[in-house]
Amino acid sequence: MEPNRIILKLLDLLEFALLGFDFLGIITLFFLFLLLEWGCLFYTCPTLRFWKHITHLVSQVHSWRGILLQDGLFMVNMPALEQMNQILHILFVFLPFLWALGILPPPDALFLWAMEQILEFGLGGSSMSTHLRLLVMFIMSAGTVITSYFIPSTVGVVLFMTGFGFLLSLNLSDVGHKIGTKSKNLPSGPEKHFSWKECLFYIIILVFALLETGLLHHFAGFSQISKSSSQAIVGYGLMILLIILWILREIQSVYIIGIFRNPFYPKDVQTVTVFFEKQTRLMKIGIVRRILLTLVSPFAMIAFLSLDSSLQGLHSVSVSIGFTRAFRMVWQNTENALLETVIVSTVHLISNTDIWWNRNLDTGIRLLLVGIIRDRLIRFISKLQFAVTVLLTSWTEKKQRRKTTATLCILNIIFSPFVLVIIVFSTLLSSPLLPLFTLPVFLVGFPRPIQSWPGAAGTTACVCADTVYYYQMVPRLTAVLQTAMAAGSLGLLLPGSHYLGRFQDRLIWIMILECGYTYCCINIKGLELQETSCHTAEARRVDEVFEDAFEQEYTGVCSLNEHFGNVLTPCTVLPVKLYSDARNVLSGIIDSHENLKEFKGDLVKVLVWILVQYCSKRPGMKENVHNTENKGKAPLILPASNTSPPPKSPEDIDSLNSETFDDWSDDNIFDDEPTIKKVIEDKQLKDLPGTNSFIPGSVESQRVGDHSTGTVPENDLYKAVLLGYPAVDKGKQEDMPYIPLMEFSCSHSHLVCLPAEWRTSCMPNSKMKELSSLFPEDWYQFVLRQLECFHSEEKASNVLEEIANDKVLKDFYVHTVMTCYFSFFGIDNMAPSPGHILRVYSGVLPWSVALDWLTEKPELFQLALKAFRYTLKLMIDKASLGPIEDFRELIKYLEEYECDWYIGLVSDEKWKEAILQEKPYLFSLGYDSNMGIYTGRVLSLQELLIQVGKLNAEAVRGQWANLSWELLYATNDDEERYSIQAHPLLLRNLTVQAADPPLGYPIYSSKPLYIHLY
């Protein structure tokens, strides 16, 4: 657009303003059109980005919103609108300043905030977990109010309000999803019965509520509230019920109203066993509280509302709005509704009936106003506490003190009335109190939804290797939260409440998104485990707060909370089944010469056990267990031939051991984490599985259906004819591969026979004979005799004995086991070094002639690596628990490793899979290069206590508002900025971490989780 167009339009604007507007109108429209045209010229208008990145369309909406409002108010000739027009003329002049201070919200944030406020305070609903749910619920709730206004019958109106108030307070999408999915699955199960019981419960509650409302409204007499009226009597009952519920809720937490220690709460709770012993009585009290809150309180309040005289006459708009909200709040937020009803009843009883409150307002509107006052009063107290904490800690905390701190404190004291006005204004708008750069300079943040962020909860997270621990923990934590929330251990459940959980190095951030009748929707975030200095400082303070609350014995009856000024108030502890992380120093074990020498012998035994277990449990073997009895002679075995030539000189043979360790010394192995040598999956093997490689001068004939295990029946033996071996010198004949026709002595031996491709030769016979002396034949036979692959116990022992004595089968195992052994160590009798152990444990094998042979067989490579890791764990257990007495004890160790342990690397994908599968134990070997020590990391799955506390919601919202202001508008992304530094009372660094990405960086964020509270 040309600049002349702007000048012409501004001239037309000036001429138009001189005709019909005052001077302020000229300035107002000048600013608005300037912003509009700037957006046309430069694509984006110079608006501030407080909530998210602003698009061209949003910038145009900002400007047209003001222009249309100006013209609309001017065109309508109404005194009230004309007065509003004059006020807006003055307000619009300060539009740039309001924009700069962040009070003027983006259109989308304003729209969502307005819907949320109207839904919660005008229609009796709750803030929703997603924007779509908010829009749908707003339309349904508004439609309910409009429909109730046009119903002519008073009984019909009351029944309609009661029924829809109950239905809209339920999580209808979840109930419908359960019915829809379970109706498709005909087979019955616990979940199906549970779902139908739940639906039946809701139907019964709805029927009784409609009956009570209709009967009381139709037959009971109506009169103004007096000390002897029916409604007043119900009011007295509600007062007693409120007091009982408040007491039962407060004794569930460790502190009463966050200040006084609860004498009924278990003291010195550090273990799950002690916690369960001391928590039994409180859980019973929690059940009583839940019954009173879920069943008794709603019906009592319905009786109070049904007896109100305002419902007898012709209902007005105020009656439709007020009572629709009241009948909805009874179910949607029972505790707050009970408090509001008691306040209205008490005020009416103790006040004069001629005052404006009682004369001009019906009960529904009184409840609505009391609800707004209650909410704003709670927010004002929280904001005031937050502001005082920021002001005082800026001076009392030495690390927070700056050169300008004294000046800012003095200015806050001098202008304290103005600061108080800012807090009040922020409270009235239900917008966050924004401490600029988290300094004691307070602004009013623009109104925004309770979630504070534009995106849906749980859509983004900074995923890393530690995220898997939160994935495993969250389902179990959700189940425990259900019990705690139902009992009242976490206090009053309100949308926008924040909780912080702590266990070892894990920090769990819990936010309530939505509440309704018997359900609550939450979002759980997991903070980083790799702690920075700021993270560590605040985490240490969190530990101190929880230790003082849960782990110390108090002699006084009601001790005070020493950390009352902190934004974190301890609530309770939750028993959750999760992984406990323990790190041990292995110095003295892994570097012990005796342990390392025993390690080599144990490795051969573990290799034998793992290979036998693998072969006996292969799917093809189990199917043939009953089909191998008495079929004539034992099968003949034709082993696969050698695919790689042997060394051609004695010097090569003698240098095998030295070649194993050439260029693979211990130097510089800990500069970086050892990288795992991956098996080359795309490498094509030279031999097809189960077939022999081509031998020069041989003639081969194959057919489909030949046995892949290397066993061939006698009548098929000569399908493959080997002719014309190459001539071999006499001096080298003993080192050439030997290919005889071998026959199993037992007809069942093929059930535990090794795959054919594993029987290929890569080493000369002389070397194999030397290694064969290390093979433990007695252990091999013992392992075979322990197999349980035969269903017939009578013949099992005899068959296993025959298999154990089969020399051909033993030779196969000797060949494979010792080749794997050689690929790890060679034949050197020297004990391996700790560095060698760590490298092989990490999958980095030394070079040898057997390396390629092993890596070409991925399955065998993984089995051999697993055996190596099992042997290391066995060495550590023997050093810790004592030597192994016999073979049976050794098998118990190995079976335990196989069933209950995952032994590997933290960086492995299987490590994550094991955690998600909830393996009881996980082990990993590591090395601390800073301290020069070897470490063992053990994860143990057990039921442990997570300490949970409630955060000041306004402190969180205020710090998040400053975060978006500072990063999106001020563009201060300095990693060492003041507003992200550790603050022991505000927990500033942890709060920033818990913000939604890209401003925050939680490593885990769950989707909205719906918890049923019954």
Side-chain angles (χ1 to χ4, degrees):
M1 184 183 296
E2 299 178 357
N4 292 334
R5 179 179 172 184
I6 301 177
I7 299 175
L8 292 175
K9 187 169 289 189
L10 291 177
L11 290 176
D12 293 339
L13 173 63
L14 179 61
E15 181 179 358
F16 178 72
L18 290 174
L19 294 176
F21 281 87
D22 53 12
F23 179 71
L24 293 179
I26 298 174
I27 299 176
T28 300
L29 292 180
F30 172 79
F31 277 125
L32 293 174
F33 273 109
L34 181 60
L35 291 173
L36 180 63
E37 295 299 337
W38 194 309
C40 294
L41 279 172
F42 302 102
Y43 185 71
T44 55
C45 109
T47 53
L48 305 187
R49 299 178 298 170
F50 286 102
W51 206 42
K52 64 178 181 180
H53 295 285
I54 291 181
T55 62
H56 178 62
L57 176 62
V58 174
S59 65
Q60 300 299 313
V61 172
H62 274 297
S63 302
W64 282 112
R65 179 178 56 184
I67 295 172
L68 293 177
L69 185 58
Q70 270 275 40
D71 292 344
L73 293 178
F74 177 73
M75 297 295 291
V76 180
N77 188 15
M78 292 179 60
L81 294 180
E82 289 180 356
Q83 185 178 5
M84 185 181 297
N85 187 25
Q86 295 175 1
I87 296 173
L88 291 177
H89 270 63
I90 301 174
L91 180 63
F92 281 175
V93 173
F94 298 97
L95 180 63
F97 305 103
L98 298 177
W99 215 314
L101 294 176
I103 298 177
L104 195 65
D108 46 354
L110 178 63
F111 179 69
L112 294 172
W113 169 83
M115 279 200 305
E116 199 171 74
Q117 293 294 308
I118 295 173
L119 178 62
E120 183 174 355
F121 300 106
L123 303 174
S126 165
S127 61
M128 295 286 118
S129 57
T130 62
H131 300 331
L132 179 60
R133 286 174 63 92
L134 176 63
L135 179 61
V136 172
M137 184 58 69
F138 178 81
I139 294 173
M140 294 175 63
S141 302
T144 303
V145 174
I146 296 171
T147 304
S148 66
Y149 178 75
F150 292 100
I151 297 177
S153 171
T154 56
V155 176
V157 169
V158 173
L159 293 177
F160 180 81
M161 291 178 177
T162 304
F164 272 85
F166 174 77
L167 293 176
L168 293 177
S169 66
L170 300 176
N171 185 18
L172 295 177
S173 61
D174 186 50
V175 174
H177 174 71
K178 283 185 177 181
I179 296 176
T181 53
K182 295 303 175 184
S183 62
K184 298 177 183 178
N185 301 327
L186 296 178
S188 60
E191 295 184 0
K192 183 174 185 285
H193 293 312
F194 177 79
S195 177
W196 281 109
K197 288 180 180 179
E198 179 185 3
C199 295
L200 181 62
F201 169 76
Y202 290 146
I203 292 173
I204 293 174
I205 293 295
L206 177 59
V207 170
F208 275 100
L210 293 176
L211 286 174
E212 180 189 12
T213 304
L215 293 175
L216 288 177
H217 182 79
H218 184 71
F219 294 105
F222 295 92
S223 61
Q224 293 294 331
I225 298 180
S226 62
K227 295 182 179 180
S228 59
S229 65
S230 301
Q231 193 176 18
I233 295 174
V234 176
Y236 292 137
L238 292 176
M239 295 177 195
I240 298 173
L241 193 58
L242 176 64
I243 296 173
I244 294 174
L245 284 174
W246 181 85
I247 294 174
L248 295 181
R249 186 187 70 204
E250 289 298 322
I251 64 175
Q252 293 290 329
S253 300
V254 66
Y255 288 116
I256 298 176
I257 64 175
I259 302 176
F260 304 101
R261 182 173 178 82
N262 179 12
F264 300 99
Y265 194 85
K267 299 178 181 179
D268 191 20
V269 178
Q270 298 186 34
T271 62
V272 177
T273 306
V274 175
F275 174 76
F276 279 134
E277 291 177 358
K278 298 183 178 181
Q279 188 75 356
T280 305
R281 286 180 294 179
L282 289 183
M283 295 305 297
K284 293 179 180 178
I285 294 174
I287 295 173
V288 174
R289 175 187 175 275
R290 197 63 203 171
I291 293 174
L292 293 177
L293 187 64
T294 305
L295 300 177
V296 179
S297 298
F299 286 98
M301 285 186 283
I302 285 177
F304 180 86
L305 295 174
S306 301
L307 293 171
D308 195 83
S309 59
S310 301
L311 295 173
Q312 288 298 307
L314 294 174
H315 51 276
S316 60
V317 175
S318 63
V319 171
S320 297
I321 294 175
F323 277 92
T324 301
R325 175 192 177 276
F327 279 104
R328 171 87 176 269
M329 280 288 291
V330 165
W331 308 101
Q332 188 83 49
N333 198 331
T334 307
E335 290 189 78
N336 283 338
L338 183 61
L339 176 62
E340 295 167 9
T341 306
V342 168
I343 292 175
V344 169
S345 177
T346 304
V347 170
H348 197 92
L349 288 173
I350 64 176
S351 63
N352 190 353
T353 57
D354 294 332
I355 62 174
W356 168 82
W357 175 268
N358 294 328
R359 185 178 65 253
N360 296 337
L361 299 179
D362 58 73
T363 303
I365 297 299
R366 293 177 207 153
L367 290 171
L368 189 150
L369 294 176
V370 170
I372 295 176
I373 295 172
R374 171 196 55 78
D375 178 80
R376 294 306 187 258
L377 181 61
I378 294 174
R379 292 186 184 277
F380 175 77
I381 295 173
S382 298
K383 290 178 188 291
L384 184 62
Q385 181 182 1
F386 172 52
V388 171
T389 302
V390 172
L391 180 62
L392 294 180
T393 55
S394 65
W395 177 260
T396 57
E397 296 287 335
K398 293 183 179 180
K399 292 185 178 181
Q400 308 301 323
R401 196 178 301 170
R402 302 169 64 88
K403 296 180 180 179
T404 58
T405 300
T407 304
L408 291 176
C409 291
I410 294 173
L411 290 176
N412 274 275
I413 295 174
I414 296 175
F415 295 99
S416 56
F418 181 72
V419 174
L420 194 60
V421 169
I422 291 178
I423 297 176
V424 171
F425 189 47
S426 173
T427 302
L428 294 176
L429 290 178
S430 187
S431 60
L433 181 66
L434 193 155
L436 201 62
F437 301 106
T438 63
L439 294 169
V441 179
F442 300 102
L443 302 175
V444 179
F446 66 83
R448 68 196 78 192
I450 200 70
Q451 294 184 31
S452 298
W453 306 111
T459 55
T460 56
C462 302
V463 179
C464 66
D466 295 329
T467 304
V468 67
Y469 300 107
Y470 291 107
Y471 270 110
Q472 180 274 327
M473 178 180 59
V474 164
R476 294 187 176 273
L477 176 61
T478 304
V480 177
L481 282 172
Q482 174 182 356
T483 305
M485 289 180 171
S489 300
L490 301 184
L492 186 61
L493 302 178
L494 294 174
S497 299
H498 297 265
Y499 298 88
L500 185 66
R502 177 68 168 170
F503 169 73
Q504 289 187 354
D505 56 352
R506 270 156 275 186
L507 284 162
I508 305 103
W509 193 283
I510 305 170
M511 179 180 181
I512 297 181
L513 305 175
E514 179 183 342
C515 287
Y517 184 65
T518 68
Y519 85 93
C520 179
C521 180
I522 64 173
N523 168 243
I524 299 178
K525 295 178 181 177
L527 305 189
E528 63 179 356
L529 273 62
Q530 302 296 329
E531 299 180 351
T532 60
S533 57
C534 296
H535 182 109
T536 303
E538 293 187 355
R540 189 182 303 115
R541 177 55 66 93
V542 171
D543 291 335
E544 292 176 2
V545 172
F546 283 135
E547 287 175 4
D548 290 343
F550 300 114
E551 300 180 9
Q552 287 190 3
E553 286 282 357
Y554 289 88
T555 56
V557 179
C558 289
S559 304
L560 295 177
N561 180 9
E562 298 178 358
H563 302 276
F564 176 69
N566 199 297
V567 296
L568 177 65
T569 302
C571 293
T572 187
V573 292
L574 303 176
V576 182
K577 194 172 185 179
L578 44 73
Y579 280 101
S580 174
D581 195 348
R583 301 171 190 262
N584 304 315
V585 177
L586 299 181
S587 299
I589 298 178
I590 196 173
D591 52 0
S592 171
H593 181 75
E594 294 181 359
N595 292 340
L596 292 174
K597 193 171 182 179
E598 292 180 4
F599 179 90
K600 300 182 71 175
D602 291 339
L603 176 60
V604 180
K605 295 179 182 178
V606 178
L607 276 168
V608 170
W609 185 84
I610 285 183
L611 292 181
V612 170
Q613 293 295 318
Y614 170 80
C615 293
S616 64
K617 294 178 181 179
R618 279 190 298 169
M621 293 304 173
K622 289 186 176 181
E623 295 174 0
N624 297 326
V625 168
H626 301 289
N627 301 325
T628 58
E629 297 184 3
N630 302 323
K631 290 189 177 180
K633 292 185 179 181
L636 299 176
I637 307 301
L638 181 66
S641 64
N642 183 25
T643 60
S644 58
K648 296 184 179 181
S649 66
E651 289 78 12
D652 294 336
I653 299 173
D654 295 336
S655 64
L656 282 175
N657 191 39
S658 61
E659 287 178 0
T660 300
F661 300 99
D662 283 350
D663 299 326
W664 205 73
S665 62
D666 288 346
D667 298 337
N668 300 324
I669 63 170
F670 302 121
D671 292 343
D672 298 305
E673 182 180 356
T675 57
I676 302 176
K677 181 179 180 63
K678 300 293 184 182
V679 178
I680 305 174
E681 297 180 356
D682 58 347
K683 182 176 180 179
Q684 300 294 330
L685 297 179
K686 297 179 181 179
D687 301 327
L688 292 175
T691 63
N692 299 325
S693 61
F694 176 73
I695 299 178
S698 67
V699 179
E700 296 190 12
S701 174
Q702 297 179 357
R703 69 173 184 177
V704 178
D706 286 347
H707 296 272
S708 61
T709 60
T711 62
V712 291
E714 185 175 3
N715 57 353
D716 292 338
L717 175 62
Y718 298 103
K719 288 291 183 181
V721 182
L722 302 181
L723 300 173
Y725 284 103
V728 181
D729 293 340
K730 184 177 180 180
K732 298 182 180 180
Q733 186 173 0
E734 63 176 4
D735 291 329
M736 290 300 294
Y738 174 55
I739 309 178
L741 291 179
M742 291 170 289
E743 179 180 354
F744 281 143
S745 61
C746 176
S747 60
H748 298 84
S749 295
H750 70 279
L751 296 176
V752 291
C753 184
L754 295 164
E757 60 270 19
W758 294 3
R759 301 197 298 267
T760 58
S761 177
C762 67
M763 297 174 60
N765 291 331
S766 61
K767 194 61 60 178
M768 184 56 64
K769 289 180 180 178
E770 189 176 353
L771 289 170
S772 300
S773 61
L774 302 177
F775 186 81
E777 186 173 351
D778 54 345
W779 165 254
Y780 163 77
Q781 293 180 355
F782 180 82
V783 171
L784 286 176
R785 293 188 182 103
Q786 302 300 313
L787 292 178
E788 297 178 355
C789 57
F790 296 93
H791 297 285
S792 178
E793 296 183 359
E794 298 178 357
K795 298 182 179 180
S797 59
N798 297 330
V799 171
L800 291 175
E801 186 67 27
E802 293 178 6
I803 294 176
N805 295 326
D806 193 328
K807 294 184 178 180
V808 175
L809 181 65
K810 188 198 75 170
D811 290 341
F812 284 159
Y813 273 94
V814 170
H815 167 78
T816 304
V817 169
M818 301 317 298
T819 305
C820 294
Y821 175 87
F822 181 79
S823 66
F824 289 143
F825 297 118
I827 60 172
D828 193 352
N829 292 326
M830 298 295 294
S833 65
H836 180 96
I837 296 291
L838 177 62
R839 280 190 295 267
V840 177
Y841 183 93
S842 302
V844 183
L845 273 63
W847 183 91
S848 67
V849 294
L851 179 61
D852 291 338
W853 176 88
L854 182 59
T855 55
E856 286 176 353
K857 303 164 182 60
E859 201 167 11
L860 179 60
F861 177 81
Q862 292 300 325
L863 290 173
L865 186 59
K866 181 169 75 169
F868 189 94
R869 292 171 175 176
Y870 281 13
T871 309
L872 175 67
K873 184 65 176 64
L874 182 65
M875 181 182 72
I876 297 173
D877 289 344
K878 287 168 62 179
S880 305
L881 305 176
I884 295 176
E885 297 181 356
D886 52 21
F887 286 164
R888 293 188 182 277
E889 185 178 358
L890 177 57
I891 284 184
K892 288 182 180 179
Y893 272 98
L894 297 178
E895 289 177 346
E896 181 183 355
Y897 297 158
E898 187 72 18
C899 298
D900 298 337
W901 286 79
Y902 174 76
I903 302 173
L905 294 175
V906 177
S907 57
D908 289 343
E909 284 298 322
K910 290 185 178 180
W911 179 276
K912 299 178 182 178
E913 294 175 4
I915 291 176
L916 296 178
Q917 294 170 2
E918 295 192 339
K919 276 277 188 179
Y921 304 99
L922 292 90
F923 173 83
S924 177
L925 178 66
Y927 181 79
D928 190 340
S929 57
N930 295 325
M931 302 181 64
I933 56 175
Y934 294 90
T935 59
R937 182 179 184 183
V938 178
L939 298 183
S940 304
L941 184 65
Q942 51 188 314
E943 202 165 27
L944 299 166
L945 297 178
I946 293 182
Q947 300 162 330
V948 180
K950 189 171 185 178
L951 295 163
N952 185 330
E954 293 301 326
V956 175
R957 293 187 71 202
Q959 293 181 78
W960 281 355
N962 171 74
L963 177 65
S964 60
W965 184 92
E966 189 173 358
L967 292 183
L968 294 180
Y969 170 61
T971 63
N972 180 23
D973 58 352
D974 183 9
E975 294 183 356
E976 299 298 328
R977 61 185 184 275
Y978 174 77
S979 61
I980 203 175
Q981 300 301 314
H983 196 297
L985 269 72
L986 294 178
L987 304 180
R988 189 166 51 194
N989 185 267
L990 298 180
T991 304
V992 169
Q993 286 186 49
D996 283 3
L999 304 185
Y1001 44 97
I1003 65 173
Y1004 172 82
S1005 182
S1006 70
K1007 293 182 179 180
L1009 303 172
Y1010 292 91
I1011 299 177
H1012 298 275
L1013 306 177
Y1014 43 74

